[in-house]
Every structure is written in structure tokens, then in C-alpha cells.
Amino acid sequence: MRFRLDAVLATAITISVGFITLLGLLLTDGMGALSALAPVTNGIAGAFLQLVTITIALTLLIGVVNLLAVHLSRIVGRKKGAIYSVVLVLSFALVIGTYIIDRSTSMILLETVQISIESALAGLLFFALVFGASRMMRRRVTWPGVLFVAVLLIVLLGALPLGGLERVADARDWLLSVPVSAGARGLLLGIALATVVTGMRVLIGQDRSYRE
Amino acid sequence: MSDDFEKDDLDWLRGDDNDPGANGEGGDDDLPFDWQRQGKNDPNAPRDSRLGVTGQLPWLRDTDDETDATGLPVDNTTFDWQTDKDDAGQGAGEGRRLGVTGQLPWLQEDDAATEFEQTLDDVLRDEAIILPPSASPAALPAASVFQDEAADEDDFDDLPPWMRGMDMPDEDESPAFDTPETENVDALPSWMSGSLYADDDDEAVEETPAAVSGDALPSWMSGSLYGDEADSDTEPEEVSASSDADLPDWMSGSLYADEDEAVEEAPTASNADNGLPDWMSGVTFGTEDEEDELASPAASTADTGLPDWMSGVTFGDKDEAPAFADDDSELDEAPDWLRSAAPLEAAPAEEDEPEFDLDALFGDQEQPDFAAEADPFAQMTTDSVNTDDDDGFDLLGQLTAETGNASDDDNFDLLAQLTADSDDDAFAALFAESDKGSAAATNTDDDPFAAIFGEEDADDVFASTGAPTRVDDLFGAPADDAPAQDDFDFLTVASDEPDTLDEFDLDALFSDADAAPAVSAVQEQASPDEIDMADFLASLDLDDEEETPFEAPAPAAPAPISAINDEGDVDIDALFGREGDTDDLLRDLGLAEDEPAPAQDDFLSWFEQQQQPAPVASMDDADMDWLQDISTDDLVAMEALPDEAEAPFADDDFFNELTLEDTPSAPVGDGASYADVDDFLASLGESDLQLSEASESGLMSPSFDLDDLFKGLDDVPAPEKRTTAPVQLAPDAPDWLAGLSVSVGEALSAAAIVRRQKDRPLEELPERLRLLHERGLEIPTGAEGVSGALAPVRDTLPTIRVDPSTLVAPAAPVLTTQQQQHAALLQSIIGTQGEERAASRAARTRGLAAFPLERLLIALVLILAVVLPFFVNELRLGQLPPAQFAAGSQQEAFYDQINTLQEDDLVLIAAEYAPTGAAELDEATEAVLRHVLARGAVPVIVGGSPTGLLHVGNLVDGLNPSALIRGNDYYIGRFLPGDALGLRTFAENAALYLETDVQGQPTGLTVDSLDDFAALVLIAERAETARFWMEQVVSRTNVPLLTVVGASAAPLVEPYLSDSAGLLIGYRDAYTYRSVLAATFGGLVPLLPTDEVTPPVTPEITPEETPAATPEATDVPGVLPPDETAQVTATATAAATEELTSTAVQEAIATATEEPTATTAATATEEPTNTPRPTATERPTNTPTATPEPVRYGIVTANQRINVRSGPSTGDSPVTSLAPGARVLIVGENEDATWYEVLTEEGEQGWITATLLRIEIGDAPTPTRRPKLFIPANRAQAQSTPESTPDEAVEQMLELTPELTPFLLEDLPSVPNVEGAAAFLDEPDYRAERWYGMNLGIAAAVVVILLGNLVSLIAAARRSAARRRTG
């Protein structure tokens, strides 16, 4: 069997860091003789975690730079839709400039533009969802579709503060507390199990997605 | 020999020595053709019995040359591919013997008495080859030939450098003869002997190379020794390292073609090696490594030196790179031996451009047995075919096109195969050297290809070509006239200048061990104007009419070979000679019509038929190679084709009628058109290729005779006699219909792929194909006058005849059941009905799209539902949220938890929501922040959402910009990147993260850990974010968690929370929280008024002429004795009440109390509750009469912690404990002053014995912070008095001081009851309208969704009913 040095090195580093981090997270002061190692492992693990955090934060900066590069290239190349790129770049420059000059002005932009737009988009979601739900069975009628629509209507009606809909409200509460909660817990359990499995695969070198 | 050809003339091809020729000529003609037969195997046989390559191939002799009585050429020059042409003449007169057959020194140097050598000597002698006196075969210097050849350096200039080196072995060294262990080894140079062991067992493989490769073996050949060693990891690397210098560049990488491991490295080296000829790029890349295999082609593709004609071929580019470009000029760049194939395409191009297609040789079929793996050869052939339908086939393209194939062991590499183990490699058997006694390298029993080109069956190969004559007839003079040393040389045969050509040794070409030199020899010998191997293959090309597949010659038809001379010899020139026209040959052979046929696909088709019975039965799966793929694929696919072609759809008959029966049969060979060659192939039924059972089952058996395989060909009926004509399509037939004629189902074949590629623009086709296409359009369809989709249908609708005289509408035509079925089927196939419906639907869709009425209506309804409640009270649907939380609910727990906050408590608030969640969560966020600030706590806001963090910061800033100071009253912490991991880091390094705020300014917060916070308020929009906080932060601290989430995230968050955990969900809870908060604002009191802060002016509330209420509270002690405080309060409130003229307050009072009555009597007599903090009745108000007094402090003098007890005795229970040195405020003492009543810094009040304290007198502590407003700690108490008297309400109002911030004042009129909440809602914040809008919007959404789905259900039910009605 032939080994590639880069692959072996990457795998070794990953496994080593994983184990050290795991030790740092597991070792505590109340573990007898191992407690002596706790400060060291905890420190190393903390350093690793901070490195990851810094790296992730750096990706944000890289993303901004890349975004600007892409749109600037579109502008320079006069590609289709370059006008939107112009808007983006100008907005970016405006926000940065105003933030440097006067933060309050920058906040005005944030409140009046960014937050307003995002809120408006969220509001539009209401129309889209309702329209989609109304056409749920337009193309095909299925039992799951019928069930989905029925539950949707119960939940919505149960949220209405109307007299005479107590039974519907009770049904809504039951739906949210039993099936929905059960599903949510199942999801969380699945996430936890998947996380453990993935972690183990990484630790034993089976999962080497970092090489991709 | 007669010119008449008889069927029995082929009998000699059967290889039966005892079977005399049927023509009675017997003698030499009866002997089997054995071009590989070695004299040593039959030394006693008559000389004349030696036929074939080693003996009597007379055609090698230039038939134009004058021959003597013995048949020898006049110049006595025997064939020698190593002989320079110019030298031939010189040597001729001297009787110089050249050629591999006799003089290859390494074949004779050692052990001259061996049988082989003796036999060879006999041959030479018998054939009157005169050796120079000093050069007997045995004594011939090892390098004599090469030295002779080297005399002319010009010739060697054509050789690659690495070939020159091998031409000049030092005689003394004679490496070729250093390993006389076996006969084979004797006969081979030592450096080649290793290859002999490549087929042996593992031991030989391991040992031999080490023995021979050290000195004699050329380093670049070393790799061949390990060609089949898959488990050798290190040796290839070593070889590679040692051979880098010597190995010709273009050979690099080929050495490891068969090695699974070495392949990983070799391509890289090869790619990087610029010495690799461009045209060979890709040939050597036979890797299966999932990483490197992709890299290698990429590198090769990037090689700009790749000739155009090779581009794409190497990597199977279907669309862009024909194997052989139509442009002949491009072929100039090809290597000679490949370029030689140009005439195959170029020459026929003069006559409609027939092309040579190796598809014809190996078929274009499927290999279901190996369906699990992609068929490399199918892919290869596909590439060739797909280039354009009948583009020429590129051998190298085929060889290399499979580099990307996924099969493990079948990466075919020509060069690798040349050096590989022939036991396992069928192709290697092609080059097996049986002549040199190294037959061990050839296992014809296991090798189908060897069976074709092998020892005994080589004749069959030629027979299989359909040659109607004997090989002797075909290739030259009778055996008895042929010089014994003649070698089979198809290169020479096809030469344009046979009189000047040197002889070529087929051994060299087909030599296993000597493969690479052989190829080089091919390259060298076959000059551009010569025909080489490809020509030979082309010679097998029995071309025929354009668009006409193979027409089997009548078995008894005499061969009209004009080239056959009187002696029965075939005039090679006439066959392959100066005219160089294979069509002439074909015409001579009777295999072609007078008119030359350009359709090479026909040749392909024909040859597929010949190859159809390619053996598969005994094929070893482990020996997957290209040939295996060929045979198996093609065989099975060919067998499958007819059936599937006849049954493209369920209704076979219908389509037969549709395409066949109504259409005049287009006889094959008379210009009938096919959609493509595949159609023709499909048209060939099994009846065309009936093979004997032995052919099908025992093809791979050792005893199988290829004669049996092909003998059935005579019975193949002529295509024109077919009763079932192939599918004929109208030129304007839809494309999809063309594909109906042939279908191979799921099998992936080149033909299937071609059929799928119907969308190739006509403009992209080569000119030749375009012309072909145009010609096809001109061919009558047989359905003239009938157009439309029903044209080919036999039973078209009867014409309705109308009698104009009667003027009576005729009856509707009555369709028979069959007609109806046909019509329905046709409509379903061509999509007529579907198209109509689709068109109608599309029209409607377009109309709707232009005016999306449905969407507009829905949007309008929803908008109105949300907006109208703001203006129309009648549309305010439902009830407002409750003014109070339910007892014991999570919402109440939330409020209570906030309500327990103390002054300066740090509260961590995680603002994890973006503006998209602002509408839902802003209300709750604002309420919580107000509450926290009112409690005097300090919010520290952090978040992982940049916009969310800024948004909440702005929200706090907007509460009271003039009263709240960022960095003092609240903090906007840092952005927390990294999601879960970032949160965990924050949890572990909270102190670090909180050193600076979001602007990078120092916060001054002294936080060691999250435990220093009094509470953690998580405001999350998404469940995932909440989960991150729960798992990464909350789990690492004991801080009480309070959660605010949107309604959508609640179900996923609730599982993390206990029933007692604080939780607010959505706008509803936020509304209630706000109501509760407003109701309790009435109990707000400043705990620690400061003289440092001048409260903002509140003109609406500030009473006129209220000196008692002026904000001049200075030097007010933080804590005063209750009695004094009560007195001061009474005064202040009385003064304030008298002068209270605020309209707002009055209105508030009016709404809060039915009979608002201002009273001058302060009746606030509430006792301190569960908190030691001064209550409303105890607090020092901001009255000018509140003068500071000296206070007494107690310092704990004990050296250990002491208890603070509930009473002035040790029998009282401890309240708390104090550390040594702790400072407490003395608030009282017992009668004998032995116990002090103290107030700790934590607010605990109790008794401490005087002996443990040291009393100090000092000023009251000056607060460093501005006054804080505190809600009465016991909210229950405030809420428990809904029936409070108007006096109490007024008193609460009076407690408000001018320094109260506006954001608190706006909540002033709240009283803990529903009416108070209603009053709150009257404020112009439109919170109630929002609520009503939400409700009506939900109701509208319910209606829309319900109606929409009801309509859908009804429509579905109607459709279902309609279907049931229609059956």
C-alpha cells in the first residue's frame, strides 16, 4: 500500500488535534491523577478552539474581499448585470465611509436600508407561504398533502384568539407539545448521534473530508 | 493455378495438413498456411511443407521482379527490415543475407547447434540464401546486421535515439547471449529475456529481472519485466528511477501501465516529461487511481504539443476530436505507422471517402457479462463513432481513450502491453513471438486474439476476411516458389514500391519480447508512403457499395482476381501495389461492386459479423483487457441487437408496419438508406450470423478451430435477399423515431450513444458527412405523397368520399379496433395528444403568467387583512393577549427571574436574531431590556449575528438616548463568530471576549467567567442558534437561562428547557410581558438617587411649582433608617401631589382609577418585603429635606467567616455569612449594644455580635452611578392589589420623580389590571393594531389555503371520476 505524505500528514495532524482537544474537554480537576494534565490539555484545547474561531472570523473577511473582487470584475468586464454590482460596491463604500466618519449615520443606513429590506423580505415570505400552501394539492392530491394542510390549518386556527375555537386551540397545543416536540427531540437526538459518529470517524481517520 | 476460385480453395485454411486441397492441386497448396511455423518444430518435414512466415510466403517476394528457377529474387536479397534500401542493391550482388530470419545475431550467437539454429540454417541453405563466407548463421557477429545498418547513419536518423543504442551493441559484450539458460533465452538478447519470465510464475518474475537488468537490460526496458506485477511496490520505483535517463521520453510511464501502484506515480512523471511525443500523450496513462487518473489526462490535455489529430482521441472526446481528422494534412503530424492509416481514409475519400474503422474489426457491441464495469472498448469505439458517424478509427485513440475507464485491470496501454505479460494479455499475444521459440509467451488457448493471430489460426484470420482465395493466391507466389526465408510482411505487401522495399520481419512486429523495437521497426520501415500494419488491416477491409453493408460473395463465385498470374500467384501490385487502391483489390476479390463504396461503416458492420462469435466463454474476468471487452461486448450486443431492434416498443407489429411493411423494402446494396450504420446493424438478424454451436460455446476452448467459426459465413444470405428489410426512415422523420429502430435497452454501446446524440448541428458535421446527409435526404422514402406522422402507417384512415350530388354528410369513418389501437399508440408515441394538451396548458399558463390573477388576488386579500385592522375597528378580530402570564407558566418564570435582578447585576443578553426576526422579537427584546434596566442591572449584549448585534444595540440606544449611556448602563459586546465552536470559545474565555466592546473600546467589565452574570437572556430567531447556545454556553455555566424565541423555533428549543425555565415565545408573549411590565411600572422607585445626575426635564409631568419635587436631590444617603425615610417620603409626595398638573398623569390616573382623587396624605405604608432594599416607603426620595447623616460601618475583625443571624442571639438562625474584613452598614443595635443589626453589601440584613465588628463612622456612600429605578421586588404584591384604592395609585404616581426617564414615564399609568393594559394600548404604538392585523391575516391565510386546496381536491375528484368513466 502506498501512502502519500501529504495525506498521511494531514490525517495525523487531524487525529492528533482531535484527541488533544477531546482530552482537554474531558479532563477536569476531579479526575485523580489525570487532573494534573487538565490545565495543560485544557489550555491546548482552548488554543485550538480559538484558532478555529479566528479562522472562521477570517473567512468572513475573505468573503467580503471575494465579494468585492467578483463584483468589481463584473463592473470592469461590463458583464450583464454589472449595474447591480455597481450598487453593491457603492453601498459597501458608503457604509464603510459613513461608519468611519460618523457611526450614527452608518446606523441610519442600517436601520433604514438593511433592516427594512430584510424585514420586508420576511414579510413577503408570508405571501409566498400562503400562496404555496393554497396550491399544495393543485398538481397532485396525496394523503401526506392532505395531512399537511390539515395540520397547517389547525395550527393557524388555533393561534387565533377567537372564542369558540377552544377545541382547535387545544388541538394546536397538543400538536405542538406532542408530535412536534417529539419530532424536535428526535431531530436533536439524531443530530447528537450524527455528531458523535462524525467525530469518531474523524478521530480514527475514516472521515477525511479535510482533504477534499 | 487457375484463376477460377472455388470454395474448396479455402480448405487449406483449416489447418489440416492431411486435408488436401479440394482443387486437387495438393502439394504446397494443401499445406496449411503457417506463417509462424518454425522449422525446428518439424525439422524432418519437407522443405516445401514450411509455409507461412518462416517459410514460403511467396508474396513477400516482389512479384514484379524477375525470379530465377528457384523463385528467388534475382538480387538474392532476402527480406530484412533492418536493411537499408540502398544497401540492398549493394548487398544483392554479394549475396548478402539480411533479415531477422537468418541473421539476427542474437538469435544465433550462442549454441549454434541448437535445434532452432540448425533449422534456421537449413532454411537459409535450402532457400539458397548465400551467406558470406565469414558469416554463417552461427558465426555471424552478433551485431553484424546492426553494424551494417549502422553504416548508413541516415537510416538511423529515423530511429529514435533509444533505438539507435540498441542497434549498436558491442560485439564483445554481446549482451544478447549472456543468458543461455534456455533456448528462448539463448535466442534473445539478455535484456529481453526478462520479458520471457514475465509470463512465468512469480519466482521467475522476481528473480530474473534482477539477473538480467543489471547490465544487459536497457534501463528503460526494465520496467517491462514487472509489467504484470501488481504487488510490486518498490521495484517499479527503482526501475523508474534508473530508467529515467535511458528510457525514451515517450516511453516513460508505459512501464507501469499494468501496475496498480506504480501507475499512480508513472503518469506524473510521464506528464512532466516533455520528451514524451505529443502524439503519445495519454497513451501511457492507464491509471485507475481515483486521484491520479484525473490528473493525468488533464496534464496530457494541457499538452499543447498534442497533434490536432490526436487531440480528443486520447481522452475520448467525442465531439471535437475525430480519431482521424478528415483533413489529410493533419495526418502529417501523426507517427508514421499511424499515418499510414491515412490512405485508408484518404484514398477512398476520392471515392466517397470510405474510411477504415477498427470498429469493423472488433465490432461495436456490448458486454453484458462485464456490465458492472464500463466497457472501455465500447467507450473507445464510441469515441470513434461519435466523432462523426463514420469517421476513421484511430487505433491509438482507442488504445488511449480508456484511460479514464473505471475498470481495474483493463487499462490498455499499447506500449505497456508490448512489454507486458502476454499470458494475461490478449493483446500481447498479438505480438507473441512464436517464431523465436518463445511461444511460452503466447498462450493461444487462453487468448482469443492470439487465436486469431496466433500460430495455427492465422490462416483463419485471413480466411475470415472473406478472401475468396488462398493466401497464396492472395499474397503471392506459390509456396514452392517462395524463398524459404520469406517472412510474412503485410507491410511490404501493401507497399507502393515493392521492388524497393526491404523485407520486414513480422516476427519483429509481433514479437512479444521485442515488441517495442518491433513497433519502432514498423515506424521505421513504413515510410509515409508505405502501408504498414494499418494498411494490412485495411487490406482486410472488404469494402463495398456506399451505404451497402457487406455483401457476402457467392460461395462458388470465382474470384475475378485479375492480378493472379498464370501461376496462380497474385499480383501484389495489382492487389496493393502501385495503384494502392484497396477497392481494386476488393473488386478483384469480388467483394466489391464496380462502384467503389465509401461507407466504411459497412465494412465495420461486416466485420462485426465476422467477429460476432468472438469467444467469451472462457474469458477470464481477471484478465480484463480491451480485447476481452471487445469480444464480449460485441458478441452479446450483436446478439441482442436484432431482437431489440424488432421490439423497440411493446407493439412490435405496429412499428413493423409503421416502418417496414408499408415502405418499399430498401434492399441492401442498392442504395437503400439507413438512418445510420447502427440501423443496418440492427437490421441484421441472427439469421445473418448463424454460427455453429461450437463457435458460440467453444470459441475459447483450446480445440476450437476458427474455421468452424467462420465457415458459417458462406451461409449468410445476401442482404438483398432479406425478407425483413431494415428500418427505413423518411428523411424528415423525427429524430426520436430514428432511435426506435434499434434499441439495445439498458446496454451501453457505441451505437446507443450515437443514437442519443441527435442534436448535433448539421453545421458541425464535416463536409463529407453533410454531403452524405444531403444525399440521404434525396433518397426516396417510399412514402411519397403521404406526409405527416401517419405516413408510414399501413392502415391509414380511409378517404371519406363525399357525393356532391346527394349533399348528405357521409358517415363518420369507422376505425377498426386495430386502427384505433394504432392511432392511440401513435398519438401516445409522438405525443400528439400530449402536445395538444400541453400547448393548451402552456397557452393558459402564458396568459396567467401575463396576468397572475390568482396571485394578485391572494396577495390583495392578505394585505387587506393585515392592514384594515389598523383603521377599521370592526375588523379587529379576537382578543388582546392576556395582561398577565398564567400562574406557574414559563413566561411568568421569565418575568420573575428578571425581577430578582439587583443593581449592577450583569445580564448577558445574546441577541441572535437578524432584522428578519425583528418584527416578532423586537417587542420582547425591548420589554426585557426595559425590565433589566429598570432593575438597575447592566445588560451586556453579544451575538453571533453582526446585523442582529447592531440592531439590538440601536434598540437599546433608542430607549432613552439621553438617559442611557453605552459603556455605563449597558454594553454592546463583541460579535461572536464561529457558530457552535465560537460560542464554546466564548463560554470558556468570556473574560477575554468581554474586555472590549463591539467597537473595540475597553469595557472595563471585570468578568472572570459566565458565572459572574446574574442571568443569561437568549433571544434567538432560529432553533439552530438556540441549540448552539444551549449546548455550548448554557451547559458550561450555572447562570439562569432565560429564552426568547420566535414561534417557529419554539418547538425545537423547548426540549432544552425545563418547565420552570423562563421562556417567551413570539409576539404574543412579548405583548403580555409588556403589559405586565407596564402594570408594575407604577411601583418603580429610585433606590439610590444621586446628586451627580441631573435628570432630564419632563415638562409633561413636571408639576408646576413643585419645589419639593425638583431634582435637586443631593447627598442623599443610599440607605436611611426606615422611619426617617418614611417621613421624608410623606413630605415629598404630599408636595408633589398637590401640584401635580400633568395631563398625562391625570389621564393615566383617570383610567387607572374610577375616581382619581389626589390626596395629600401619604399613605404608602408598605412594609419592606423580602428584600432588605428600601421599599417605596423607605426610600429616600429626591427631596431637598433629605439630608445626609453620618453612618456607622462595621468591619469584620474575625479571622474566619462569621454568621449573620436573623436575631440578636446565637440561637437565631444564620442569614448569611461574612468573610474576614467584610464591611457592613450598621442599621441598628439591641438595647445593650451587644448586637448590631447590619446590612451587608449583598443586601442581606441581620444581626452580628458586636465583638466581631470594628465600628467606623463615615459618610454615606456616594453612588457612582446615576439613580436606578427598581420595581418592587415582590411583583406579586403589586399585582395582588388590583383592587388598590385610587389613593394607592396616586401614591405610586407620586413616587415618580422628575428624574425618571421618559421610557419609564410612558409606562407610568400602568396598573396591574386589564384596564391598565388597555390604557397602555391606547398609546400610539399600534401594538394592538399589529395584533389585530396579525389575527386577521392568519384568518385570511386560513381561508385562502382552505379554499385553494378545496378547489384542488374537487378538481382531482373530477379528474378521477372522468378517468373512471373513460376506463
Side-chain angles (χ1 to χ4, degrees), chain A residues 2 49-50 52-53 103 107 111 115 118-119 127 131 133-138 160-162 180 184 188, chain B residues 237 261 291 854-855 858 862 877-879 915 951 954 966 981 985 992 999 1027 1051-1052 1335 1348-1349 1352:
Chain A
R2 188 182 301 275
L49 293 177
Q50 284 186 300
V52 174
T53 306
R103 182 176 180 274
M107 291 300 104
E111 290 287 347
I115 294 176
E118 287 193 25
S119 301
F127 298 94
F131 181 74
S134 68
R135 298 170 61 87
M136 177 77 185
M137 291 183 290
R138 180 67 58 87
L160 286 177
L162 296 175
V180 176
L188 295 176
Chain B
E237 292 183 348
E261 293 295 334
E291 295 178 358
E854 185 181 6
R855 296 189 182 192
I858 291 176
L862 295 178
L877 183 65
Q879 304 166 351
H951 176 67
N954 291 340
R966 177 181 289 203
L981 210 53
T985 308
L992 178 64
Q999 295 178 316
R1027 183 170 64 84
L1052 207 60
N1335 291 337
N1349 286 282
S1352 299

Side-chain angles (χ1 to χ4, degrees), chain B residues 716-738:
Chain B
V716 175
E720 54 268 25
K721 298 178 181 179
R722 289 170 52 86
T723 56
T724 301
V727 175
Q728 182 186 23
L729 298 175
D732 57 347
D735 292 340
W736 62 268
L737 206 54

Side-chain angles (χ1 to χ4, degrees), chain B residues 63-348:
Chain B
T63 54
D64 283 349
D65 292 343
E66 182 182 356
T67 59
D68 58 11
T70 62
L72 285 174
V74 174
D75 58 3
N76 291 333
T77 302
T78 59
F79 167 75
D80 188 352
W81 60 276
Q82 294 169 318
T83 302
D84 184 75
K85 300 175 185 177
D86 298 334
D87 294 338
Q90 179 182 357
E94 301 173 359
R96 189 165 63 93
R97 280 136 307 282
L98 303 174
V100 176
T101 310
Q103 296 89 358
L104 277 184
W106 49 270
L107 292 175
Q108 310 172 21
E109 186 272 343
D110 191 34
D111 198 1
T114 60
E115 187 177 27
F116 171 76
E117 304 300 339
Q118 183 60 46
T119 302
L120 188 61
D121 192 13
D122 293 342
V123 169
L124 298 174
R125 182 177 60 253
D126 293 343
E127 298 300 332
I129 297 176
I130 303 172
L131 297 175
S134 60
S136 66
L140 193 65
S144 61
V145 175
F146 300 103
Q147 288 171 346
D148 290 341
E149 293 296 324
D152 189 345
E153 292 297 331
D154 295 337
D155 295 332
F156 287 93
D157 289 341
D158 296 333
L159 290 172
W162 59 273
M163 282 290 292
R164 301 173 194 172
M166 63 173 286
D167 293 339
M168 304 297 290
D170 185 77
E171 185 176 7
D172 297 333
E173 296 176 359
S174 299
F177 311 102
D178 291 343
T179 56
E181 298 177 1
T182 65
E183 185 178 13
N184 293 338
V185 175
D186 294 345
L188 291 174
S190 60
W191 57 269
M192 294 187 67
S193 60
S195 62
L196 302 178
Y197 295 91
D199 299 333
D200 296 336
D201 53 19
D202 294 341
E203 292 182 2
V205 171
E206 295 175 0
E207 296 172 358
T208 305
V212 299
S213 62
D215 50 358
L217 179 66
S219 57
W220 60 271
M221 283 293 292
S222 302
S224 64
L225 305 177
Y226 308 95
D228 288 337
E229 289 186 338
D231 55 349
S232 175
D233 293 334
T234 57
E235 288 144 338
E237 292 183 348
E238 297 170 357
V239 173
S240 176
S242 62
S243 62
D244 283 345
D246 300 327
L247 180 67
D249 297 334
W250 59 275
M251 285 289 290
S252 298
S254 64
L255 306 177
Y256 309 113
D258 288 347
E259 295 186 6
D260 293 338
E261 293 295 334
V263 150
E264 294 184 5
E265 304 295 339
T268 302
S270 180
N271 291 340
D273 193 344
N274 295 328
L276 177 68
D278 297 334
W279 57 271
M280 284 297 293
S281 298
V283 174
T284 60
F285 303 142
T287 176
E288 292 299 323
D289 185 84
E290 58 183 4
E291 295 178 358
D292 292 337
E293 79 173 346
L294 296 177
S296 299
S300 299
T301 304
D303 189 351
T304 56
L306 188 67
D308 296 336
W309 62 272
M310 277 298 295
S311 61
V313 173
T314 301
F315 305 109
D317 190 333
K318 300 175 181 178
D319 299 326
E320 298 179 357
F324 271 151
D326 294 329
D327 187 357
D328 293 338
S329 61
E330 296 177 355
L331 295 174
D332 295 337
E333 301 177 20
D336 295 340
W337 63 277
L338 280 174
R339 196 191 315 166
S340 60
L344 298 171
E345 177 175 352

Side-chain angles (χ1 to χ4, degrees), chain B residues 1122 1172 1192 1194 1196 1201-1218 1224-1240 1243-1253 1255:
Chain B
R1192 294 183 298 174
V1196 176
R1201 297 184 70 87
I1202 63 173
N1203 289 326
V1204 178
R1205 300 185 180 274
S1206 60
S1209 70
T1210 56
D1212 295 319
S1213 59
V1215 176
T1216 184
S1217 63
L1218 295 174
V1224 296
L1225 181 66
I1226 305 299
V1227 296
E1229 59 185 8
N1230 60 0
E1231 293 179 356
D1232 54 1
T1234 57
W1235 287 78
Y1236 290 110
E1237 187 179 10
V1238 299
L1239 186 62
T1240 68
E1244 299 291 343
Q1245 189 170 0
W1247 294 84
I1248 299 177
T1249 178
T1251 58
L1252 300 176
L1253 294 176
I1255 304 302

Side-chain angles (χ1 to χ4, degrees), chain B residues 935-990:
Chain B
R935 291 298 302 173
V938 179
V940 179
I941 303 170
V942 296
S945 170
T947 55
L949 189 61
L950 295 175
H951 176 67
V952 174
N954 291 340
L955 191 67
V956 180
D957 293 340
L959 291 178
N960 189 356
S962 60
L964 298 174
I965 301 172
R966 177 181 289 203
N968 183 56
D969 297 310
Y970 66 94
Y971 296 87
I972 306 298
R974 292 172 55 179
F975 163 65
L976 306 177
D979 288 337
L981 210 53
L983 291 178
R984 185 172 190 91
T985 308
F986 167 72
E988 295 176 347
N989 304 277

